[in-house]
Amino acid sequence: MSTTTTAAASTPSLSQRLPGLVLAIAIAVVALGLGRTLPLIGGPVFGIVLGILVRNLVSPGATYTPGIQFAGKQVLQWSIIALGFGLSLDQVAKTGLESLSVTLVTMTVAFLAAWLLGRALGVHDKLKILIGVGTAICGGSAIAAVTPIIKPDEHDTAFAISTIFLFNLVAVLLFPLLGHLLHLSDLGFGLWAGTAINDTSSVVAAGYSFSKQAGDYATIVKLTRATLIIPICLVLAFATAWKQKKQGATDFSLRRIFPWFILWFLVASAVRTAGLVPVAIQPVLHMAAEFLIIVALTAIGLSANLRKMASTGARPILLGLGVWAAVSVSSLVVQLVIGQL
């Protein structure tokens, strides 16, 4: 059987994805309504919380898995692309450059904290790398990108993803509250969320829970940060190849790890900049993007196995907590120093 045929056979069909998609959409509709009723919490947060509750109280069967996985990844990317229609390229470029210094500092802090704290806790190198990269760049996506390079055990990958997801969830619920208590501006909170929260979905959820302006800013900051997975993966690939005498990076593919949806986000932004998006439909596009975000977050919640997360043990969780706290504090400190708070 050819590679193409095998790949096609392993890709779920629309009918296989439909049950999970319908479940995620149905819960997202409820979350959207609750978010309209309690805007301080917002639909994205309700989506992820309701998803987690359904997953761990009802436990939807395997029939729902293909659609839930599709919504948690592909629908999220569509939502980011849709957000591009509401942002001009000038705004995207300005935000990316403004946030780069903070992003580079928080990345450095994440890797140093992972190395030092991981060494103190006795966590081995591959797990330190997974948690460090996941916290520094973009959560589960970064972990998935470096896994074929450093080749950790599946157990280590599960540890890292569970740990990163735990603090994503905490951030979505805690950051907007802390942002208001600290009296952060929309841009200050957007920069904080975009540099200190891991997964794109969680950044978007926290940002738009704070305000629309904070959500727009946080999204661009996070997408700028996500592109840094490319140089990080290249460094790891070369380091692994050297360490293992050029036998550790045989399946490394730049094309595979590149976050292509970011390019489509820029295309959407270019369309908006060129004046090709009628003013009348811009609110509709933003509402569509918001709902897609809620659907994606609901699906991520539906994927969260709390029992499995609890079984990962204390050391990876303590490592994840320490790295996450270091990144969160360093982001605020750098903003304070450069006068962006």
Side-chain angles (χ1 to χ4, degrees):
M1 183 180 291
S2 68
T3 303
T4 303
T5 305
T6 302
S10 64
T11 302
S13 64
L14 177 59
S15 61
Q16 291 174 314
R17 289 170 172 164
L18 198 57
L21 278 171
V22 170
L23 177 62
I25 290 171
I27 297 173
V29 170
V30 176
L32 179 65
L34 291 172
R36 293 283 189 266
T37 304
L38 296 171
L40 186 60
I41 299 176
V45 175
F46 276 119
I48 199 168
V49 170
L50 290 176
I52 289 172
L53 289 175
V54 171
R55 169 66 176 83
N56 292 276
L57 295 178
V58 181
S59 297
T63 304
Y64 296 90
T65 301
I68 290 172
Q69 291 177 341
F70 179 81
K73 182 178 180 180
Q74 194 64 49
V75 173
L76 172 64
Q77 294 179 2
W78 292 346
S79 71
I80 299 299
I81 293 169
L83 287 173
F85 288 110
L87 300 166
S88 69
L89 279 177
D90 290 343
Q91 184 179 356
V92 172
K94 181 174 181 291
T95 301
L97 290 173
E98 287 176 348
S99 66
L100 189 58
S101 60
V102 181
T103 298
L104 292 175
V105 169
T106 55
M107 277 183 54
T108 303
V109 168
F111 287 121
L112 284 175
W115 179 64
L116 293 172
L117 185 57
R119 187 174 181 181
L121 291 170
V123 176
H124 63 81
D125 288 344
K126 289 186 178 181
L127 187 53
K128 284 189 288 190
I129 291 172
L130 291 175
I131 291 178
V133 167
T135 306
I137 309 292
C138 50
S141 299
I143 291 171
V146 303
T147 292
I149 301 172
I150 66 172
K151 300 185 184 330
D153 293 336
E154 290 184 3
H155 190 59
D156 290 336
T157 304
F159 260 38
I161 290 177
S162 298
T163 301
I164 293 298
F165 181 84
L166 173 63
F167 294 110
N168 280 338
L169 175 60
V170 172
V172 169
L173 300 175
L174 189 61
F175 265 50
L177 176 61
L178 289 176
H180 287 296
L181 290 176
L182 293 171
H183 304 291
L184 297 182
S185 65
D186 291 330
L187 297 187
F189 182 83
L191 183 55
W192 187 38
T195 54
I197 301 178
N198 306 322
D199 278 329
T200 303
S201 57
S202 302
V203 171
V204 171
Y208 284 104
S209 294
F210 190 85
S211 72
K212 180 184 181 303
Q213 291 75 16
D216 288 346
Y217 200 84
T219 299
I220 301 171
V221 171
K222 182 63 186 71
L223 295 181
T224 302
R225 177 179 161 205
T227 60
L228 297 175
I229 190 59
I230 304 302
I232 293 297
C233 283
L234 288 172
V235 169
L236 285 173
F238 289 131
T240 303
W242 174 80
K243 185 177 181 180
Q244 299 181 358
K245 297 181 180 180
K246 299 182 180 180
Q247 295 179 357
T250 56
D251 58 352
F252 175 70
S253 169
L254 185 62
R255 178 183 175 85
R256 179 180 54 77
I257 68 170
F258 189 81
W260 293 102
F261 71 94
I262 295 178
L263 290 183
W264 288 110
F265 168 86
L266 293 174
V267 169
S269 181
V271 170
R272 164 65 185 272
T273 305
L276 301 177
V277 181
V279 175
I281 70 168
Q282 288 177 14
V284 177
L285 288 173
H286 181 76
M287 289 177 61
E290 179 188 7
F291 184 67
L292 289 175
I293 289 167
I294 296 173
V295 172
L297 285 167
T298 300
I300 290 169
L302 286 167
S303 303
N305 188 331
L306 295 182
R307 294 182 185 87
K308 185 176 180 180
M309 291 169 62
S311 71
T312 59
R315 288 186 300 170
I317 292 176
L318 288 174
L319 176 58
L321 174 62
V323 177
W324 179 62
V327 168
S328 299
V329 172
S330 67
S331 176
L332 289 175
V333 169
V334 174
Q335 288 189 65
L336 184 63
V337 169
I338 64 179
Q340 286 192 234
L341 273 182

